[in-house]
Amino acid sequence: MSLTLRQIRYFVATAEIGQISQAAIHLNISQSAVTTAIKELEGMLGTLLFQRSAQGMSLTDAGRHFLNRAYVILRSVDDALNSPLPDIRASGLIRLAASYTVIGYFLPHHLQRLEHWHPDVAIEVHEQERQAIEQGLLEGKFDMAVVLTANLTHPDIVSETLFNSERRLWLPSHHPLCERSAVSLADVALEPYILLTVDEAEQSAMRYWENARQQPNVRVRTSSVEAVRSMVANGSGVAILSDLVHRPWSLEGKRIETVTITDKVTPMSVGLAWHREREFSPAMQALRNYFHDAFLAPQQLSARR
């Protein structure tokens, strides 16, 4: 078995955060993927890297030694990736549209990396709602978009999903449901509910509630993720939101826990979109290639061709 960068990244995230569940949320992957990667590393090295306990994961002496080596590996890879070769540099302008959630919780880090990779590509970012993004792509106002791909509706918009972010139940610390490993929507329906509305979140939520033949006990509707975060942390209600926007602390410094839901709750899909007849410029292709490389296992093109 060969050592992979994915194993290194999963190990480092777990070492820094101290919990497999939170490392998985941070990485936008499943807990089982993190667990498997760590077991593979321990198998290759022939030693335990972590001590497991109810409180989380703590590094062994071997784990601390390997963490230092892992940092060296990741720094070397970042140095290589952030030094674009002069003979493959793209140039030009991209008019990139993005929805509220994408621009707030996903895009800034990647814009910074794109600037390092492709300094001659200028990216003009426009925050818009989904309907305006689709219309802008159709009219040629935007070249590409980074969007919640499941929300797209127009048949002439091609979409490509980069990753799926699982939706989980958010709870205040010490809530009785925190003691469970998973809960059903029927359990959630008994709790006061904080419903997010931005980026068509309410429509997405009601689809999986209706499929489960349940109804949330909505106390507050809000377009602010931070309002949801604070209200949940303060004990005003619970919410179901994606791992992408999850943070373990509210602005007031109160803890927010997450629990898996047993019913089928569709994940939030983030990806690229463009007009099906749009001819790719070198700058557009460079942006698409960057996201393919960043997410290692790009998904197949959506059926919206």
Side-chain angles (χ1 to χ4, degrees):
M1 185 180 297
S2 300
L3 182 70
T4 68
L5 284 176
R6 186 174 301 188
Q7 291 167 338
I8 295 291
R9 291 191 176 105
Y10 294 3
F11 163 76
V12 168
T14 304
E16 291 180 340
I17 296 173
Q19 290 185 329
I20 286 180
S21 60
Q22 294 300 316
I25 289 172
H26 174 74
L27 294 163
N28 292 316
I29 57 170
S30 67
Q31 292 187 39
S32 61
V34 179
T35 300
T36 299
I38 291 171
K39 287 182 178 178
E40 289 171 349
L41 275 177
E42 291 178 330
M44 282 186 283
L45 296 170
T47 186
L48 290 177
L49 298 174
F50 292 98
Q51 292 288 350
R52 282 80 166 167
S53 71
Q55 288 71 42
M57 307 281 280
S58 58
L59 288 167
T60 62
D61 289 341
R64 283 189 288 274
H65 176 78
F66 187 72
L67 180 61
N68 291 330
R69 307 306 301 170
Y71 282 140
V72 171
I73 292 169
L74 294 181
R75 279 196 298 269
S76 297
V77 171
D78 282 342
D79 288 344
L81 294 179
N82 287 323
S83 301
L85 301 175
D87 59 337
I88 60 169
R89 277 191 176 180
S91 62
L93 171 69
I94 298 178
R95 297 164 300 169
L96 185 70
S99 61
Y100 167 87
T101 303
V102 169
I103 204 169
Y105 296 91
F106 171 73
L107 199 53
H109 167 72
H110 296 288
L111 290 175
Q112 180 189 32
R113 290 182 62 84
L114 278 161
E115 185 177 354
H116 283 293
W117 278 43
H118 300 289
D120 297 324
V121 172
I123 303 178
E124 188 179 275
V125 181
H126 302 265
E127 181 183 332
Q128 299 285 340
E129 295 183 354
R130 190 264 309 165
Q131 297 94 327
I133 289 175
E134 290 193 20
Q135 194 62 33
L137 291 172
L138 294 170
E139 295 175 352
K141 180 180 177 181
F142 306 130
D143 301 308
M144 298 184 77
V146 187
V147 293
L148 307 184
T149 53
N151 292 350
L152 296 170
T153 61
H154 200 286
D156 288 334
I157 302 297
V158 174
S159 68
E160 188 173 60
T161 296
L162 296 169
F163 68 90
N164 294 309
S165 180
E166 294 299 322
R167 289 184 167 104
R168 305 179 203 273
L169 178 65
W170 290 17
L171 297 163
S173 182
H174 306 303
H175 191 285
L177 291 179
C178 291
E179 299 176 2
R180 302 194 194 179
S181 58
V183 299
S184 68
L185 287 177
D187 295 323
V188 180
L190 300 175
E191 302 290 330
Y193 194 83
I194 314 300
L195 182 62
L196 185 69
T197 60
V198 73
D199 267 355
E200 301 172 288
E202 181 171 0
Q203 294 89 321
S204 298
M206 294 315 300
R207 282 195 290 270
Y208 58 74
W209 277 100
E210 289 167 3
N211 288 339
R213 297 182 180 179
Q214 297 292 333
Q215 185 76 20
N217 177 23
V218 178
R219 171 173 289 183
V220 177
R221 285 179 168 82
T222 176
S223 62
S224 169
V225 176
E226 295 308 319
V228 175
R229 199 187 315 279
S230 290
M231 283 188 274
V232 169
N234 289 332
S236 299
V238 302
I240 297 174
L241 289 178
S242 78
D243 291 344
L244 179 66
V245 302
H246 176 262
R247 303 293 182 271
W249 305 97
S250 71
L251 294 175
E252 301 87 355
K254 295 183 178 180
R255 182 84 182 178
I256 299 169
E257 306 291 348
T258 62
V259 175
T260 299
I261 299 168
T262 55
D263 297 275
K264 185 176 180 180
V265 173
T266 53
M268 186 172 73
S269 302
V270 177
L272 304 176
W274 60 90
H275 191 301
R276 67 165 56 253
E277 296 180 358
R278 179 73 179 180
E279 183 176 348
F280 269 57
S281 66
M284 292 170 62
Q285 190 61 54
L287 183 141
R288 186 186 184 197
N289 289 345
Y290 162 80
F291 279 112
H292 280 209
D293 292 339
F295 289 92
L296 302 178
Q299 304 295 314
Q300 295 296 317
L301 288 179
S302 165
R304 296 187 189 87
R305 283 192 176 277

